[in-house]
Amino acid sequence: MTDTWLTPDEVTQLTAKKRWSAQCKALTTMGIPFRPNAVGRPLVERAVALISRPASRPKRREPDFSSLVRAI
């Protein structure tokens, strides 16, 4: 086996998620690029996972009240 990719256990530990779909979502949120394999399991390159990234705060979502405003 090659050390190119993180093991499934390492991806689970990195994302704190067990389901592959949840892992993909967590990796996307974390800004870590991955490739899903043929069955949907995320493949994360070890070199990419080891790169330190600056912590970024998620954008706060504001409610859209435009549909509540009446046109006069």
Side-chain angles (χ1 to χ4, degrees):
M1 186 171 177
T2 174
D3 288 328
T4 302
W5 306 102
L6 294 181
T7 65
D9 289 336
E10 290 172 324
V11 175
T12 300
Q13 186 177 16
L14 176 65
T15 61
K17 306 289 182 189
K18 291 185 179 182
R19 287 189 356 247
W20 296 340
S21 60
Q23 289 175 348
C24 291
K25 185 176 179 180
L27 290 167
T28 300
T29 302
M30 296 164 67
I32 298 175
F34 66 94
R35 296 180 205 170
N37 68 3
V39 295
R41 183 173 70 85
L43 300 174
V44 180
E45 288 186 62
R46 184 170 304 279
V48 173
L50 294 176
I51 296 172
S52 113
R53 291 170 180 63
S56 63
R57 299 183 72 172
K59 294 181 181 178
R60 184 174 175 182
R61 294 179 54 155
E62 297 291 331
D64 180 13
F65 294 111
S66 63
S67 63
L68 299 176
V69 176
R70 288 185 165 185
I72 298 177

